[in-house]
Amino acid sequence: MSTTSETPTSASFAALRGQLHEAAAEFAGGQDALEGILLGMVDDVDRAVAEPLEIFPVCHHSPASALAMARRLREKQPKVVYLELCEDMAPLLTELRNCRLPVAVQAFASEIDGFPPDWAPLSVVAPITEASAEYQAIAYALDTPGVELVLVDRSSDHVFQWDTRQPADGETHPAETEAEPASGAEAEPEAALHGEAVGVEIGDLRPRFAELEEHLLRHGKVRHWSEWWHQYVEVPLGDSDHDTYRQVMFLIGSLFRRLAPGRGERVRVDEDRERYMWTRMREHLAATGTDPADCLYVCGAFHAASRVDEFGVHGTGDFAVSPRTATTWQYGLIPSSHAAIEAQFGLASGSVSIAATEWAKNLKRTRVKPYRLEGQSGTKKPSARKAAAKTPAATPTPVPASGLATDPAADPAAGPASGPVAGPASGPAEDRLSGFLRQPPVLHTLDEAELLGWSVDIVRAARRSGYLASTADAIAVFETSILLAAMRDRAKPTPYDFQDAAVTCIEKDTVPGRRDVRRLVEIMMGGDRIGQVGYDALPPLARDVHDRLAPLELNLQQRGVRRALLDMASRPELRACSDVLWMLRRLLPPGAARPVMGERRLGERSIQESWDLSLGTHQRALIELGYEGVSLEQVLEQRLRRAAYGPQATTAEVLAAVEDATLYLGGRRLADELGTRALEVLAGERTVDGAPAVLRRVRGLLAYYRTSEPVLPPWIESFVRAGYAHYCTLLPTAFRDEDATVGQVAAMLGFLFSMESLALSLGCDRTQLELAVAQSHPNDPAKTALLWAAQVQLGTLSRGELRGRCDELLGNPLVVPSYPRYLSGFVHALEPVPGLADVVVEAVSNAFGRLPDPVLLPWLPTLITTLRSNAADLAPLIVREAGRIFPARLAALDAWVPPWRAQPVARAPLAAPAPRGAVLLPLHPETCDALADLLGRTDGWAPADGPATGATAPAGAALLFTHRATCDAVADLLGCGGAWTPVVPAHPASSLTARHPATAHAVAALFATP
């Protein structure tokens, strides 16, 4: 570590050095490290005070720092304000006037270049509240003519360049050491307003030495660091003068800096930040020629006591600023809240709200006029008449005993009303530390009216939240607060004492509502103020969303849920609003836009919709969408492309992108492009993990294109053709693979069987599927049953043989325990072969009918869990089939016989009929005439009672002998056999039916003729 050479010490702190030397000798028994630390702290204070460019040390979100800042700005009226904030965030600060504080300045990068890919997206936020010193400096610089505001801290890109992604050795993280989050209640949603962003702030002032913090908390009789700071720093500095404030803050920063253990990576980053800031300030001074006496440097107290070579306007170091990466950063303002600030920076719950309350009380007590941006949303504008009455021109500005003006004239250009300007410009600094460290603690008198009001308010809030609180509880809280303060050596109860007393007296074993008493006290003390970014400060995309949703006539910037009713039948212009809402539902978190009524699926559009909208609550997510594009359509297209072309993209994910592009963007350009990408991904896959999702999405897209397009898109035809060959190739391996589930294999078969007709029409060969099924030899029972179903579909296994195999499984005692797995395979087979529903119902019914109770009862839970876990979506098909087969009434169940057990009715043997079968032919001459015309015969009918000998034999019967193949085919079709009898020329034609009675009776039965 590079440090400056020892600078000569001034005589201002000589007395303090002597006292500390004597104290170190007394407590440590001589010169040792303690003396070096104590005297070094005084040297740091002396060095910082003597710097020509005035350093103003602050602590983040400290009312005392904000109050001292407002006083100093009105006294000094600096021309340049150097602020410890990321230098690339400067253009956003002018938009703060369009927001309601607290808000956070954000730098966001979704596409990174130069950082590890797993860090994306990158986000940096700097929260700003009204009760903060940085806001006072920003408001003064932006609204005062001739004042320049310069941000000098590292850029957002350097925040991640110097990020080590782990705490330094021996150091503690603030979030790990801050005690007591709100117990008994769920985390408030407002605590997540910053998301996963990295927080930067002015003045992270907290011990990095765990033992030191524990020592301070134990001897200070407080629970956490926020309470210690409020009691021992915030309250004493609230009434101090400027010199005392600076020297005390310098001393605290030096103490925490010198006791930081390890001097590790975190200290190195801090020193690099200090080098960076002083380098930027010297560059600005050299470029503008500004006098350092007219400048003010606002930074954290930890950085104010720096020992780097670059410290001061006369620093000797030469720090080289590294170039930024090629990452493109986007900037904007996002809403913040007290809870979000506490959660991100590891502060105690409610500490920022209590600080805001203290800020308001200090302003009222000291009558200091704070700086506020003109037109700031959420603040009241004092009328000109009241302002003139409050500060008349003839009335001199009152000056307190410290010599500092607390209420300057209304004209800021007039400068301080009276008294010299304190600070480096007015000569050597006077030692104020000695008096401050020796003075006894101020014993504030008890404000009974304030404490009584707190006690009544907390009981009222507890009753509204479901607690059984009463007036007795208010009295108990009042007395307990005084008791706790006395036990902690305080005459006046602090808000933290009151909080502990309220929890003790009101909260019982359980919390009846969503918030516990501790959270109720935080809300009562100041509430979790939630900021809002105004319309003018929103990015173009967010403004476009509000403009496009304007026909809804709702205040969507306000927090909370708004109900939107869209009747597109009567108001066609609302269809555009519906399109925007569906895209917001796709892009934003689930609660931002939630449909209550209506749906959007392929080929379907609702004519009426109802939505619950909370865009104001999810304003941060909407703003971050604006960093990705200028319109919702552009952002959605980018995200779909990113999902489809990602290195880990699967076929199912790409098909989902195709479906979303069709649903939300319309047109065929992007959908066809992504469909071609799905074909490429499918060709590269070697597993069947996504087969169920692929089958579901391809079916939906095919159904949509067949009903809405004249022809199928070329990409989906290629996809079906390639998918047919792809899954045929993987099928034998999937049947044997233990990692492939039965549902995945069933989805493959579902794709092959349901797409078979289209695939064959596109040139695929069915023999490939038959060979794939023939080469499959599974070992798993479920997959075996699935294979049997596939063989039934292909025709290589009959349904009767399948039933016989199921009977064999139930008849084998060794196979009965695994029978549920066979049933699971049969149920999954309903995906590719839905016609087997009756076989599945029969298999389940046979198991319940044949298995004895000692076997069935232990086996039944396994069956139920197997079907529920593996085939829950196919169970309705089985239920419908069972409802069709089984009787509908209980009374008919006893006499009911299952169709698979019903015996076929045996037909009575046909008696040898009289030779009258030929009568059938003349009774139905139309049939014979049609058959004769079909065969090209024009012979006419002979009289029925004519002679049948010789040449006069009837020619009609000869037709049967001429076309014997036709008669044989008809006989086989009707199940009638028999041989032909040699024809005797002199035999009558009717003798033919006598020789073949079975054929004659079959034809008679066909025509319902006895």
Side-chain angles (χ1 to χ4, degrees):
M1 180 186 68
S2 176
T3 58
T4 58
S5 58
E6 292 298 329
T7 57
T9 59
S10 65
S12 300
F13 299 94
L16 180 59
R17 288 189 178 90
Q19 295 174 10
L20 294 179
H21 175 75
E22 296 175 0
E26 179 179 354
F27 287 101
Q31 295 184 357
D32 62 352
L34 176 61
E35 182 178 3
I37 292 174
L38 296 178
L39 297 181
M41 290 163 51
V42 180
D43 293 340
D44 292 341
V45 175
D46 193 5
R47 184 166 178 260
V49 169
E51 172 59 33
L53 196 159
E54 181 178 347
I55 304 173
F56 195 94
V58 300
C59 175
H60 65 80
H61 311 299
S62 167
S65 296
L67 190 67
M69 174 64 70
R71 285 172 171 170
R72 185 56 182 166
L73 289 174
R74 294 199 179 276
E75 295 166 1
K76 183 179 177 65
Q77 295 288 318
K79 298 179 181 179
V80 178
V81 177
Y82 297 113
L83 187 61
E84 180 193 334
L85 198 61
C86 295
E87 59 184 2
D88 52 339
M89 294 181 176
L92 289 175
L93 299 182
T94 57
E95 297 293 338
L96 288 175
R97 68 180 73 253
N98 298 319
C99 305
R100 184 175 68 243
L101 300 180
V103 295
V105 185
Q106 183 183 37
F108 187 88
S110 56
E111 297 181 0
I112 62 177
D113 185 0
F115 300 105
D118 57 339
W119 286 16
L122 304 180
S123 180
V124 180
V125 297
I128 297 176
T129 63
E130 188 175 356
S132 59
E134 57 265 37
Y135 176 74
Q136 295 298 310
I138 293 171
Y140 163 77
L142 295 182
D143 283 351
T144 304
V147 177
E148 184 179 5
L149 177 65
V150 183
L151 306 187
V152 294
D153 199 3
R154 54 183 175 167
S155 65
S156 303
D157 196 89
H158 287 91
V159 170
F160 289 95
Q161 286 189 31
W162 300 348
D163 187 7
T164 59
R165 290 283 162 158
Q166 58 184 359
D169 295 337
E171 298 180 0
T172 56
H173 195 276
E176 298 173 355
T177 57
E178 188 65 279
E180 295 191 31
S183 59
E186 297 292 334
E188 295 289 334
E190 290 78 10
L193 286 179
H194 295 172
E196 300 296 328
V198 174
V200 295
E201 58 190 352
I202 298 179
D204 182 11
L205 200 57
R206 182 171 182 177
R208 297 182 182 177
F209 192 26
E211 287 78 3
L212 173 61
E213 182 171 340
E214 181 183 357
H215 175 83
L216 294 176
L217 298 184
R218 183 175 65 253
H219 288 275
K221 299 179 181 180
V222 294
R223 292 172 295 135
H224 45 69
W225 174 252
S226 299
E227 185 177 359
W228 185 93
W229 179 267
H230 174 272
Q231 179 64 27
Y232 295 100
V233 179
E234 195 72 33
V235 174
L237 286 182
D239 296 326
S240 61
D241 60 85
H242 175 65
D243 289 338
T244 302
Y245 169 83
R246 291 183 68 214
Q247 295 177 19
V248 170
M249 294 295 285
F250 286 145
L251 183 69
I252 296 175
S254 176
L255 172 65
F256 292 163
R257 189 184 189 92
R258 289 181 176 272
L259 293 183
R263 313 293 293 178
E265 187 67 18
R266 188 176 180 185
V267 175
R268 184 192 65 79
V269 172
D270 289 331
E271 292 177 347
D272 285 345
R273 290 181 62 188
E274 293 155 5
R275 295 185 179 98
Y276 193 105
M277 289 187 287
W278 280 109
T279 300
R280 291 301 192 205
M281 283 186 285
R282 287 203 303 271
E283 290 176 353
H284 182 269
L285 290 173
T288 60
T290 306
D291 187 359
D294 296 331
C295 303
L296 187 68
Y297 172 34
V298 183
C299 68
F302 188 89
H303 300 293
S306 176
R307 304 287 296 178
V308 297
D309 292 341
E310 289 76 6
F311 178 86
V313 295
H314 303 298
T316 59
D318 186 13
F319 179 70
V321 179
S322 60
R324 302 183 186 180
T325 65
T327 300
T328 302
W329 290 89
Q330 305 286 339
Y331 301 90
L333 297 169
I334 63 173
S336 182
S337 67
H338 293 170
I341 297 172
E342 294 160 0
Q344 186 167 42
F345 299 108
L347 304 176
S349 178
S351 58
V352 178
S353 298
I354 293 176
T357 304
E358 290 295 320
W359 161 254
K361 291 171 59 177
N362 289 342
L363 291 180
K364 185 177 181 180
R365 177 175 52 84
T366 61
R367 300 183 64 189
V368 172
K369 184 180 180 182
Y371 285 95
R372 289 188 177 92
L373 288 171
E374 180 156 358
Q376 180 74 65
S377 178
T379 59
K380 296 181 179 180
K381 299 180 180 180
S383 61
R385 183 179 302 176
K386 290 184 178 181
K390 185 175 180 180
T391 55
T395 303
T397 302
V399 179
S402 60
L404 302 178
T406 60
D407 193 7
D411 185 10
S418 62
V421 176
S426 59
E430 182 183 352
D431 177 16
R432 302 293 181 91
L433 278 178
S434 300
F436 182 84
L437 296 176
R438 285 198 305 263
Q439 70 180 8
V442 178
L443 297 179
H444 295 277
T445 58
L446 174 62
D447 190 346
E448 294 187 359
E450 180 187 52
L451 182 59
L452 185 60
W454 288 355
S455 303
V456 174
D457 290 342
I458 189 57
V459 169
R460 183 184 297 112
R463 291 182 64 86
R464 286 197 300 264
S465 297
Y467 287 92
L468 299 178
S470 62
T471 305
D473 293 314
I475 299 173
V477 171
F478 180 86
E479 298 294 341
T480 306
S481 301
I482 299 175
L483 177 61
L484 288 177
M487 294 174 60
R488 296 166 180 173
D489 297 332
R490 296 194 278 266
K492 179 182 179 181
T494 66
Y496 298 98
D497 297 328
F498 173 76
Q499 188 178 54
D500 292 342
V503 172
T504 303
C505 299
I506 298 177
E507 191 168 293
K508 306 301 187 289
D509 297 335
T510 59
V511 178
R514 187 167 67 94
R515 297 185 175 98
D516 59 4
V517 174
R518 189 177 302 280
R519 181 62 183 153
L520 293 177
V521 173
E522 296 166 6
I523 296 174
M524 187 194 72
M525 286 294 176
D528 185 16
R529 299 181 186 176
I530 302 172
Q532 184 184 45
V533 180
Y535 176 85
D536 295 331
L538 292 174
L541 181 143
R543 293 200 300 268
D544 179 63
V545 168
H546 286 287
D547 293 341
R548 295 167 69 177
L549 295 179
L552 298 180
E553 300 177 357
L554 297 174
N555 185 9
L556 297 179
Q557 284 193 282
Q558 190 174 1
R559 294 182 60 85
V561 179
R562 298 289 180 272
R563 175 64 59 88
L565 303 176
L566 285 74
D567 185 4
M568 277 79 76
S570 60
R571 298 182 60 188
E573 68 273 10
L574 294 182
R575 293 188 181 275
C577 297
S578 175
D579 295 337
V580 173
L581 293 177
W582 284 109
M583 284 189 286
L584 290 176
R585 179 178 181 267
R586 172 63 173 77
L587 296 172
L588 293 181
R594 185 177 65 87
V596 179
M597 181 184 68
E599 59 182 356
R600 174 162 291 194
R601 295 188 296 181
L602 289 174
E604 297 183 8
R605 294 293 186 272
S606 302
I607 61 173
Q608 288 184 335
E609 293 176 354
S610 176
W611 291 80
D612 279 347
L613 305 178
S614 56
L615 299 183
T617 304
H618 296 83
Q619 194 179 47
R620 178 184 66 87
L622 181 61
I623 291 173
E624 290 182 351
L625 280 184
Y627 301 152
E628 303 182 41
V630 296
S631 66
L632 289 177
E633 289 80 3
Q634 180 186 3
V635 173
L636 181 57
E637 182 173 344
Q638 290 177 356
R639 289 196 180 184
L640 293 179
R641 290 181 186 274
R642 192 180 305 119
Y645 288 93
Q648 305 298 327
T650 63
T651 305
E653 292 174 350
V654 180
L655 290 177
V658 175
E659 185 176 341
D660 288 344
T662 306
L663 276 177
Y664 304 120
L665 299 179
R668 288 273 301 275
R669 176 188 58 82
L670 182 60
D672 290 349
E673 177 187 343
L674 298 180
T676 305
R677 170 61 180 171
L679 186 62
E680 299 173 358
V681 176
L682 177 67
E685 286 187 348
R686 294 296 178 264
T687 63
V688 296
D689 295 342
V694 170
L695 173 63
R696 183 177 67 255
R697 297 196 180 278
V698 168
R699 281 179 175 174
L701 290 170
L702 269 176
Y704 169 73
Y705 287 129
R706 281 172 172 167
T707 56
S708 61
E709 300 286 344
V711 294
L712 292 178
W715 75 265
I716 201 167
E717 293 183 350
S718 302
F719 188 89
V720 171
R721 189 187 309 113
Y724 189 86
H726 178 73
Y727 285 132
C728 283
T729 304
L730 295 181
L731 189 61
T733 305
F735 267 113
R736 293 191 303 269
D737 189 5
E738 295 181 356
D739 295 332
T741 64
V742 62
Q744 295 169 354
V745 179
M748 294 174 61
L749 292 173
F751 185 94
L752 294 172
F753 289 146
S754 61
M755 308 289 171
E756 184 177 13
S757 59
L758 178 59
L760 296 181
S761 67
L762 295 174
C764 296
D765 189 359
R766 194 170 193 264
T767 306
Q768 188 177 7
L769 175 59
E770 295 174 350
L771 292 176
V773 174
Q775 294 173 358
S776 302
H777 304 286
N779 297 322
D780 183 66
K783 293 181 181 179
T784 301
L786 193 60
L787 178 61
W788 293 346
Q791 293 172 348
V792 171
Q793 180 71 11
L794 291 176
T796 59
L797 184 69
S798 65
R799 299 169 72 92
E801 292 174 341
L802 179 60
R803 288 187 171 93
R805 292 184 181 184
C806 293
D807 292 338
E808 292 177 3
L809 293 177
L810 284 175
N812 189 347
L814 299 179
V815 183
V816 168
S818 61
Y819 192 72
R821 301 180 64 186
Y822 283 95
L823 288 181
S824 175
F826 282 130
V827 174
H828 278 97
L830 298 179
E831 180 74 46
V833 192
L836 285 181
D838 58 336
V839 178
V840 178
V841 173
E842 177 182 346
V844 177
S845 301
N846 287 337
F848 280 89
R850 294 179 54 180
L851 294 178
D853 290 346
V855 177
L856 181 62
L857 293 180
W859 172 80
L860 189 59
T862 305
L863 172 66
I864 296 175
T865 55
T866 302
L867 295 179
R868 176 179 295 178
S869 60
N870 297 334
D873 53 340
L874 297 173
L877 183 59
I878 306 175
V879 174
R880 287 196 300 269
E881 183 64 22
R884 187 186 64 84
I885 294 176
F886 288 92
R889 297 185 178 276
L890 184 61
L893 186 60
D894 294 336
W896 176 76
V897 178
W900 54 85
R901 291 187 181 180
Q903 298 296 329
V905 179
R907 200 179 326 181
L910 294 176
R916 60 186 182 90
V919 180
L920 181 66
L921 299 179
L923 290 178
H924 299 280
E926 300 85 0
T927 304
C928 291
D929 291 338
L931 186 59
D933 294 339
L934 181 64
L935 298 175
R937 298 302 297 257
T938 59
D939 301 336
W941 287 84
D945 54 352
T949 59
T952 61
L959 184 63
L960 302 178
F961 293 95
T962 306
H963 301 281
R964 293 186 178 185
T966 302
C967 292
D968 291 337
V970 174
D972 293 338
L973 181 63
L974 300 176
C976 303
W980 286 85
T981 303
V983 178
V984 179
H987 192 77
S990 61
S991 62
L992 181 62
T993 55
R995 289 196 300 269
H996 297 282
T999 303
H1001 281 285
V1003 176
L1006 179 64
F1007 291 99
T1009 303

